[in-house]
């Protein structure tokens, strides 16, 4: 899974899985453009990774002008963008009856609109290069519904449609587009959320590294024949229900 010399733009890179992926890419010899609304945190991470490898850019993924600025700054520093990881996302708790217009629009505009705007912004650069890999972070909540997070579920299902639409439009330009569907991963987003992991056959959370491995695979040429596809890393959660008919031993 060679990503040496690739230039990778990651949204939501200040913390959680995005920050972890940034470190893994930089360690593997890639250059990273790190975008987030948490300016201080993302700048500190870029400083830690070093000027030669990392650039922090202010990025609210729901704002087209921020994407344009991030792409321009990244190209000015590193000359190209080979990989886009649409990772930024927010989780809000409300069911359909109680979800306000503002909350619905905010979740959709960040989780789904942000990915769309990111793809649109990097296209001129990737088309010019004649290659690219775009990785959209969805969720197991994009494969099955969870009650009480209706806007989030809708946004993560939407990522699958966006991924396929982009994949078929862009294959002719050498640009691949795939989605990643993590299960419960140990980050701030889900801290103390789960009482147990009985719904997961592996009976545990995943670690950010286990998603980074998949993202790096999709970024690399090792996944050269994969586009418009869905890659799941969830400890078996969407495979089926564990223990439903378990007999007492
Ligand atoms: N943690 C999980 O269990 C889990 C499971 C499935 C999918 N996901 C998805 O993985 C992605 C990363 O999640 P995480 O667990 O690392 O979350 P996190 O909350 O730890 O990190 C999310 C990052 O996105 C940034 N962000 C939020 N709004 C933004 C915006 N408008 N513009 C730019 N950046 C913004 C945050 O500042 C933060 O740095 C998200 O898309 C999330 O929905 C997470």
């Amino acid at each position: 899974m060679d990503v040496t010399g690739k230039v990778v733009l990651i949204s939501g890179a200040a913390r959680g899985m995005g920050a972890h992926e940034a470190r893994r890419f930089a360690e593997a010899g890639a250059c990273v453009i790190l975008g987030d609304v948490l300016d201080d945190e993302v700048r500190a991470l870029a400083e830690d990774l070093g000027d030669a490898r990392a650039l922090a850019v202010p990025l609210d993924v729901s704002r087209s002008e921020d994407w344009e600025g991030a792409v321009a700054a990244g190209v000015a520093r590193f000359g190209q963008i080979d990989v886009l990881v649409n990772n930024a996302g927010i989780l809000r708790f409300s069911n359909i009856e109680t979800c306000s217009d503002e909350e619905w629009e905010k979740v959709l505009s960040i989780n789904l609109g942000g990915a769309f705007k990111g793809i649109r912004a990097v296209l001129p650069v990737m088309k010019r290069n004649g290659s690219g890999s775009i990785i959209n972070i969805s969720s197991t909540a994009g494969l099955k519904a969870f009650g009480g997070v209706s806007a989030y579920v809708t946004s993560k299902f939407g990522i699958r449609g966006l991924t396929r639409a982009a994949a078929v439009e862009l294959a002719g330009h050498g640009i691949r587009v795939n989605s990643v569907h993590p299960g419960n991963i140990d980050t701030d987003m889900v801290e103390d959320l789960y009482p147990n992991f009985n719904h997961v056959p592996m009976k545990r959370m995943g670690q950010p590294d286990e998603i980074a491995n998949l993202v790096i695979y999709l970024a690399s040429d090792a996944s050269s024949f994969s586009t418009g596809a869905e890659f799941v890393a969830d400890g078996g959660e969407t495979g089926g229900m564990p223990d439903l008919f378990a007999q007492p031993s």
Side-chain angles (χ1 to χ4, degrees):
M1 298 202 301
D2 185 9
V3 290
T4 317
K6 289 203 188 276
V7 181
V8 184
L9 170 53
I10 306 174
S11 71
R15 62 176 205 183
M17 285 190 260
H20 194 83
E21 286 152 19
R23 285 190 185 282
R24 287 282 311 276
F25 272 114
E27 283 163 15
C31 297
V32 286
I33 306 156
L34 309 176
D36 207 289
V37 285
L38 300 175
D39 289 333
D40 292 346
E41 286 87 339
V42 82
R43 236 181 283 125
L45 175 58
E47 265 171 39
D48 197 31
L49 297 178
D51 267 1
R53 286 256 169 265
L55 171 70
V57 290
L59 176 66
D60 176 340
V61 293
S62 64
R63 293 166 55 92
S64 300
E65 54 273 36
D66 283 13
W67 274 112
E68 279 152 30
V71 168
V75 171
R77 170 71 75 86
F78 298 119
Q80 63 194 48
I81 295 173
D82 301 295
V83 179
L84 169 65
V85 185
N86 273 317
N87 165 78
I90 58 169
L91 176 63
R92 294 287 181 272
F93 297 91
S94 56
N95 54 32
I96 288 173
E97 204 170 6
T98 58
C99 186
S100 66
D101 289 356
E102 290 71 27
E103 183 165 310
W104 178 266
E105 277 150 27
K106 181 162 189 175
V107 172
L108 269 292
S109 75
I110 292 174
N111 293 9
L112 182 56
F116 158 68
K117 289 173 182 172
I119 295 172
R120 191 176 57 184
V122 298
L123 277 194
V125 182
M126 289 188 174
K127 279 170 81 170
R128 194 185 65 210
N129 288 351
S131 68
S133 174
I134 296 171
I135 301 146
N136 296 324
I137 307 299
S138 175
S139 171
T140 48
L143 299 168
K144 65 178 189 179
F146 293 84
V149 287
S150 51
Y152 185 80
V153 165
T154 304
S155 71
K156 295 301 186 180
F157 267 79
I159 287 283
R160 297 167 70 192
L162 174 66
T163 298
R164 290 181 187 207
V168 297
E169 280 187 21
L170 302 176
H173 296 282
I175 301 168
R176 300 184 293 109
V177 191
N178 293 289
S179 61
V180 167
H181 300 263
N184 315 136
I185 308 300
D186 190 7
T187 71
D188 290 344
M189 180 182 271
V190 295
E191 203 182 3
D192 301 328
L193 189 61
Y194 302 101
N196 59 57
F197 293 97
N198 290 340
H199 60 295
V200 181
M202 285 189 183
K203 300 265 196 276
R204 68 169 177 89
M205 291 190 108
Q207 293 303 314
D209 218 32
E210 297 179 290
I211 303 304
N213 289 335
L214 201 44
V215 168
I216 290 172
Y217 167 69
L218 291 171
S220 78
D221 298 342
S223 57
S224 55
F225 199 46
S226 294
T227 197
E230 294 160 0
F231 291 80
V232 181
D234 69 351
E237 182 193 336
T238 51
M241 292 178 67
D243 304 335
L244 184 61
F245 302 114
Q247 302 298 312
S249 50

